[in-house]
Amino acid sequence: MDVNIPVALAYADFMPPPGRVAFPDVCCDLLVMESRCYLSGPEVRSQPNKFPHSRRQLLRIDPFAMRDWLGKPLGEIVNCTIALADVDRRLANQVEAATNQRGLRTAFMTADPSSPTKRRGRIEVAARLVGGGCSVEAAAGAVNLSARQLERLFHRELGMSPRQWRSIIRFRAAALAARRGTGLAEAAIIGGYADQAHFTRASKALTGKTPRALIAQHVGIIQDAEIGRF
């Protein structure tokens, strides 16, 4: 079988502690639990972990790599966790083949991100600009779309608005910095917020909790895999 899989951004092997929630995320996850593979789409709101009592291997996948792999708009799976075989049996077989050949972590962490080579589409270019702090209007103009056209494209392809996309990226950057021990005021700046109060308001809007409460309750995000805090 020709195994073509996207490269993973991060890997974790863990069982979520009680009360652990999944943070909003623009990326997708592949989860392997009890020898079955699940696909988790982008999350625009904080949610309790699916399958809270199951140990899982989790791979975080760039949304555009996942979009190309699935051949489907991510708007179809936003806020959903579903068996990959129910989405595409062929892709589920690819994951199984790659896992059997090389092991899940090795297969996905060493996949070639440039194969097959794809030219960045307008949605990806605009999303990178918006995520980097560019206004929606400026990002739309950069790809020859109106702001309204870009909004519709975001909702269809990514399952969220450009402003939600930017808000989630900012929040995760600030939250990761805070979890690593950075003071909340400095973490807010890292996330692109005007000040700590701005960060706190965004945290409440996205998770229902303040950053201080999230840290005190050891609420985690997938980037914690990088620092061994799962």
Side-chain angles (χ1 to χ4, degrees), residues 9-12 14 20 22-27 29 58-60 168-177 179-180 219-230:
L9 301 174
Y11 168 89
F14 69 107
R20 180 69 60 90
F23 275 13
D25 196 0
V26 300
C27 290
D29 296 329
L58 185 152
L59 295 144
R60 189 167 186 255
I168 291 168
I169 289 174
R170 280 183 172 179
F171 170 70
R172 290 181 70 90
L176 178 59
R179 280 295 307 274
R180 285 174 163 166
V219 174
I221 53 180
I222 179 58
Q223 287 100 322
D224 285 346
E226 301 169 9
I227 51 176
R229 289 185 176 172
F230 267 106

Side-chain angles (χ1 to χ4, degrees), residues 2-211:
D2 181 20
V3 178
N4 173 38
I5 57 177
V7 65
L9 301 174
Y11 168 89
D13 183 343
F14 69 107
M15 179 181 289
R20 180 69 60 90
V21 299
F23 275 13
D25 196 0
V26 300
C27 290
C28 300
D29 296 329
L30 283 176
L31 303 131
V32 176
M33 294 173 288
E34 300 176 354
S35 301
R36 196 173 189 198
C37 185
Y38 295 85
L39 169 65
S40 183
E43 305 273 0
V44 298
R45 57 182 178 270
S46 184
Q47 301 187 74
N49 269 297
K50 287 88 173 176
F51 315 102
H53 305 297
S54 297
R55 188 166 192 88
R56 78 279 314 269
Q57 295 180 78
L58 185 152
L59 295 144
R60 189 167 186 255
I61 309 293
D62 176 90
F64 299 101
M66 182 62 78
R67 170 67 179 83
D68 291 341
W69 191 52
L70 290 177
K72 300 176 184 290
L74 299 184
E76 295 183 13
I77 59 170
V78 68
N79 296 323
C80 294
T81 297
I82 187 170
L84 181 57
D86 292 341
V87 177
D88 192 311
R89 169 63 67 178
R90 178 183 59 85
L91 296 182
N93 290 340
Q94 285 188 0
V95 174
E96 182 179 352
T99 302
N100 291 339
Q101 289 171 12
R102 290 172 280 170
L104 186 70
R105 181 174 187 173
T106 299
F108 280 81
M109 297 301 288
T110 60
D112 182 0
S114 64
S115 180
T117 300
K118 290 185 179 290
R119 187 173 65 85
R120 285 188 174 185
R122 290 192 292 183
I123 181 64
E124 182 173 0
V125 172
R128 304 298 185 197
L129 289 172
V130 170
C134 190
S135 72
V136 176
E137 292 74 16
V143 295
N144 298 314
L145 293 173
S146 69
R148 181 168 294 184
Q149 287 173 323
L150 185 60
E151 290 269 358
R152 288 198 294 265
L153 189 60
F154 258 80
H155 277 290
R156 184 178 73 244
E157 296 294 329
L158 301 173
M160 65 186 75
S161 71
R163 289 173 177 81
Q164 285 176 309
W165 173 274
R166 180 169 54 210
S167 178
I168 291 168
I169 289 174
R170 280 183 172 179
F171 170 70
R172 290 181 70 90
L176 178 59
R179 280 295 307 274
R180 285 174 163 166
T182 303
L184 293 181
E186 185 178 349
I189 294 171
I190 290 171
Y193 295 109
D195 51 31
Q196 183 176 332
H198 188 191
F199 177 25
T200 297
R201 290 194 298 273
S203 180
K204 286 182 176 179
L206 288 168
T207 72
K209 299 178 183 292
T210 66

